[in-house]
């Protein structure tokens, strides 16, 4: 097991751990959680032995191997497959020794050990891992140097997965993956035979792959059983209990102090007063675990929206070379209230499509119509590199609004969620999450009608992702989302578009259906030859066909659900308007007006209750119908 005992450590004078302890048993799948900057990556370095504790200890049984993803992605002329195979140093050593060994006994031992570590299937296993992470057979034979940094980081991840260390340390493993790669990794980690310690802000990955959580907060480590949802519920209950205990203790302390203040100088009560003073001194202070406040995101909503469709395409082709379009025959429309997620493997054209919408690329052909005066905002990860390192957030917004007063510019910066002390901090000194906030604020500063978010969560912790989700749901325009965070996708997107084979098409299904589709296409052991199919495929096709037919049959019900949602929103808005009218001093003495408002409010409440009841009934029936079809 991994034992951390009384660990204290400072980094650049900043205390990260203070007398922290925890134990992680062998075979555990553990998520390491904590706010950005609390020291999670530093703890990995302490576990690996790259850093030495100031005091305390980090111990792992001897001969157990620790493995983490290399900080630098390989950029050599070695093929991807060979790079992954080279990660298993023991296998390479034994194979080399077997070539020259002449002693029969030693040679037998070598081959026995090679069999134990499954060395003879190594190439197939390495190829399977690379395939799962998005590299086809042709790509696996290409040199690492031919791929970009993000793709090479996938190779580094494949290498450590292939080597199967006894302690696998994963630090944000999905940052360089698309949703398809994340789904494959999730399945792989569920089957991983050894201990996993994983830093991740992807709650779905944590829920599916972890059996325990270690939470780093206030320089301490605290262990929780179960996955992320269990941890979140348990911690919330602990905080609530601690608050109640503190309130009770404070009341008792106040009562005892009042007795002391009243009677400490009275001779007849002096002994009792002194006794209470001693009890007060002995009374331990109940500590309430505090979570840092997370600043919200705020996306300005446009005052007016153009009529739908705001974007319409017919036969559009786009790419970077006119004779080699990446996307062809696009026939789509986007309405002013759409919430669409783009799914598809990296390299299929999701970002190309986003650039086309944002007018960063012009079509090679076809008809592309945008609504008049349509304002579009695009957030992409590469934009973080466009920030001027020496400029503060205030400087960036000052450049965008040169004529605004300083107070107004600072108010705009505050709208990004950056605190007062961060407003004047150079961009180079901001954390990844803070730079993401700044870039999002700059992208949306003009209240766009269409917001395109290309992997917006890579540098955000779980609570900041929740804040982003709330901002997207509160935003009044249309949204196109590209993300590997399924929680964000499920909470914000209403439609799925699949980018695949040079086309963008609506996907008939939800994320669970898409997960089945992805895992089937990337299965390690699908058993099908290039010209054949598996026995299960007809059944799977029948299931998909039945699900599609069920969705079609339930379409009128879903339309009615959407209609009821509109009625509910209108009723809620009417109630708010009536309640606001009641606060008008001018009508306090107008009995007729007050009576009319009261009647209108009772009518709106009755309709709201009826519509909500009907909405719940239809929603339950709709979900039950889909569940039965699956």
């Amino acid at each position: 097991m991994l034992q951390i005992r009384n660990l204290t450590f400072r980094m650049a004078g900043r205390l990260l751990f203070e007398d922290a302890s925890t134990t992680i048993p062998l075979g555990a799948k553990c998520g390491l959680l904590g706010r950005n900057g609390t020291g999670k990556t530093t703890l990995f370095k302490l576990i690996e032995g790259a850093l030495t504790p100031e005091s305390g200890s980090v111990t792992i049984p001897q001969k157990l191997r620790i493995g983490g993803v290399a900080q630098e992605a390989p950029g050599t002329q070695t093929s991807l497959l060979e790079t992954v195979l080279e990660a298993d140093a023991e296998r390479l050593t034994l194979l080399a020794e077997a070539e020259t060994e002449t002693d029969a006994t030693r040679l037998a031992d070598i081959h026995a050990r090679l069999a134990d570590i499954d060395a003879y299937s190594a190439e197939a296993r390495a190829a399977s891992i690379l395939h799962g992470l998005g590299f086809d057979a042709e790509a696996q034979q290409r040199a690492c140097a031919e791929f970009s940094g993000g793709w090479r980081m996938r190779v580094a991840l494949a290498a450590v997965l292939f080597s199967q260390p006894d302690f696998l340390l994963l630090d944000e493993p999905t940052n360089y993956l698309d949703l398809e790669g994340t789904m494959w990794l999730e399945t792989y980690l569920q089957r991983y035979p050894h201990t996993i310690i994983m830093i991740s802000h992807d709650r779905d990955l944590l829920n599916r792959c972890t059996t325990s959580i270690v939470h780093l907060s206030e320089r301490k480590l605290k262990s929780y059983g179960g996955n992320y949802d269990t941890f979140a519920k348990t911690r919330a209950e602990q905080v609530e209990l601690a608050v109640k205990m503190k309130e009770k203790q404070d009341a008792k302390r106040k009562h005892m102090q009042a007795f002391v203040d009243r009677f400490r100088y009275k001779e007849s009560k002096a002994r009792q007063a002194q006794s209470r003073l001693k009890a007060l001194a002995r009374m331990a202070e109940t500590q309430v675990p505090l979570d840092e406040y997370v600043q919200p995101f705020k996306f300005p909503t446009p005052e007016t929206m153009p009529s739908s469709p705001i974007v319409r395409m017919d036969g559009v082709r786009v790419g970077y070379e006119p004779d080699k379009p990446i996307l062809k025959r696009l026939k789509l429309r986007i309405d002013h209230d759409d919430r669409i997620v783009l799914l598809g493997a990296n390299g299929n054209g999701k970002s190309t499509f986003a650039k086309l919408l944002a007018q960063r690329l012009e079509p090679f052909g076809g008809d592309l119509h945008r609504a008049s005066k349509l304002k579009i905002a695009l957030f992409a990860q590469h934009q973080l590199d466009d920030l001027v390192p020496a400029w503060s957030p205030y400087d960036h917004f000052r450049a965008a609004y040169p004529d605004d007063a300083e107070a107004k510019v600072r108010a705009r910066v505050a709208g990004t969620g950056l605190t007062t002390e961060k407003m004047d901090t150079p961009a180079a000194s901001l954390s990844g999450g803070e730079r993401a906030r700044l870039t999002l604020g700059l992208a949306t500063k003009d209240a766009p009608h269409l917001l395109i978010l290309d992997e917006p969560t890579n540098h955000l912790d779980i609570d900041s992702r929740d804040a982003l989700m709330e901002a997207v749901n509160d935003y009044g325009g249309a949204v196109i989302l590209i993300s590997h965070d399924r929680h964000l996708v499920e909470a914000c997107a209403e439609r799925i578009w699949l980018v695949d084979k040079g086309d963008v098409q609506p996907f008939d299904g939800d994320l669970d259906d898409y997960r089945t589709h992805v895992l089937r296409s990337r299965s390690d052991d699908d058993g099908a030859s290039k010209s054949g199919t598996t026995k299960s495929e007809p059944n799977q096709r029948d299931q998909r066909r039945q699900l599609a037919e069920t969705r079609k049959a339930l379409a009128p019900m879903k339309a009615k659900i959407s209609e009821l949602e509109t009625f509910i929103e209108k009723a809620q808005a009417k109630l708010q308007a009536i309640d606001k009218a009641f606060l008008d001093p001018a009508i306090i003495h107008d009995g007729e007006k007050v009576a009319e408002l009261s009647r209108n409010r009772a009518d709106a409440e009755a309709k709201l209750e009826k519509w909500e009841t009907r909405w719940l009934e239809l929603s339950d029936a709709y979900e039950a119908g889909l569940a039965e079809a699956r």
Side-chain angles (χ1 to χ4, degrees), residues 397 401 404 407-416 445:
F397 271 87
Y401 297 98
D404 282 4
K408 192 170 183 178
V409 174
R410 290 192 178 276
R412 292 182 186 276
V413 180
T416 68
K445 60 184 175 58

Side-chain angles (χ1 to χ4, degrees), residues 399-554:
Y401 297 98
D403 299 326
D404 282 4
E406 179 178 347
K408 192 170 183 178
V409 174
R410 290 192 178 276
R412 292 182 186 276
V413 180
T416 68
L418 292 171
T419 57
T420 303
E421 63 268 21
K422 296 295 183 180
M423 288 186 185
D424 297 307
T425 301
S429 300
L430 297 175
S431 69
E434 290 162 347
R435 283 185 284 121
R437 283 181 176 272
L438 173 57
T439 306
L440 274 166
L442 290 169
T444 59
K445 60 184 175 58
D446 294 324
H449 303 106
L450 172 61
L451 177 58
I452 306 168
L453 300 174
D454 190 350
E455 295 293 358
T457 63
N458 276 0
H459 298 282
L460 303 180
D461 58 32
I462 289 179
D463 293 326
S464 295
R465 292 182 184 204
D466 286 344
L468 175 64
M469 177 191 71
E470 292 177 9
V472 171
N473 286 333
D474 289 342
Y475 171 66
V479 176
I480 301 292
L481 178 63
I482 303 170
S483 178
H484 63 260
D485 188 315
R486 279 162 293 171
H487 183 72
L488 180 69
V489 168
E490 289 176 331
C492 298
E494 297 171 356
R495 301 169 62 192
I496 294 176
W497 283 2
L498 181 57
V499 184
D500 189 29
K501 297 177 182 177
D503 200 0
V504 182
Q505 289 288 339
F507 180 78
D508 185 19
D510 57 18
L511 277 185
D512 287 335
D513 299 319
Y514 185 67
R515 173 184 170 82
T516 301
H517 166 75
V518 169
L519 295 181
R520 184 175 62 251
S521 64
R522 292 192 176 188
S523 176
D524 293 346
D525 52 355
D526 60 28
S529 66
K530 292 183 179 179
S531 59
T533 58
T534 63
K535 293 181 180 179
S536 62
E537 282 181 347
N539 289 334
Q540 290 167 346
R541 284 197 298 270
D542 291 343
Q543 290 172 0
R544 293 197 300 275
R545 188 181 301 112
Q546 181 181 351
L547 183 59
E549 291 173 354
T550 302
R551 288 184 185 281
K552 185 176 181 180
L554 293 175

Side-chain angles (χ1 to χ4, degrees), residues 58-129:
V58 179
T59 58
I60 292 178
Q62 292 183 353
K63 296 184 180 180
L64 292 186
R65 296 177 300 131
I66 302 173
V69 179
Q71 295 294 312
E72 300 240 344
T76 65
Q77 293 302 316
T78 307
S79 72
L80 305 189
L81 186 59
E82 284 300 322
T83 299
V84 173
L85 289 170
E86 289 173 1
D88 190 343
E90 182 184 10
R91 170 182 166 275
L92 292 178
T93 301
L94 290 172
L95 287 174
E97 189 177 351
E99 291 291 328
T100 58
E101 183 58 58
T102 57
D103 182 82
T105 302
R106 175 54 186 159
L107 194 58
D109 290 341
I110 291 172
H111 285 291
R113 179 56 183 163
L114 285 169
D116 289 341
I117 63 175
D118 205 12
Y120 301 112
S121 66
E123 187 168 330
R125 288 188 289 111
S128 174
I129 293 171

Side-chain angles (χ1 to χ4, degrees), residues 269-282:
K269 300 285 186 179
R271 181 174 296 177
Q272 295 178 45
Q274 287 298 319
S275 175
R276 281 166 173 74
L277 270 176
K278 292 178 182 178
L280 277 170
R282 291 194 303 268

Side-chain angles (χ1 to χ4, degrees), residues 288-310:
V288 178
L290 297 176
D291 286 326
E292 298 174 19
Y293 172 70
V294 176
Q295 294 285 344
F297 289 91
K298 294 180 182 178
F299 299 147
T301 295
E303 294 182 4
T304 59
M305 287 296 297
S307 299
S308 294
I310 57 175

Side-chain angles (χ1 to χ4, degrees), residues 145-220:
E146 296 180 28
F147 293 87
S148 65
W151 284 98
R152 293 206 300 265
M153 287 306 299
R154 293 192 186 205
V155 179
L157 174 60
V160 72
L161 294 179
F162 171 74
S163 66
Q164 285 202 344
D166 301 294
F167 280 87
L168 175 61
L169 308 183
L170 297 176
D171 191 347
E172 293 292 354
T174 62
N175 268 4
Y176 298 98
L177 300 181
D178 49 23
L179 183 58
E180 293 72 19
T182 299
M183 289 177 170
W184 177 88
L185 178 65
E186 176 186 291
T187 302
Y188 185 90
L189 295 181
Q190 288 171 344
R191 301 196 306 259
Y192 192 75
H194 307 303
T195 307
I196 299 172
I197 308 175
M198 176 168 54
I199 300 170
S200 179
H201 297 305
D202 185 329
R203 69 174 67 205
D204 277 21
L205 186 69
L206 291 168
N207 275 331
R208 294 177 185 271
C209 297
T210 61
T211 55
S212 63
I213 298 292
V214 171
H215 186 221
L216 170 54
S217 178
E218 298 177 334
R219 301 181 294 278
K220 303 291 187 183

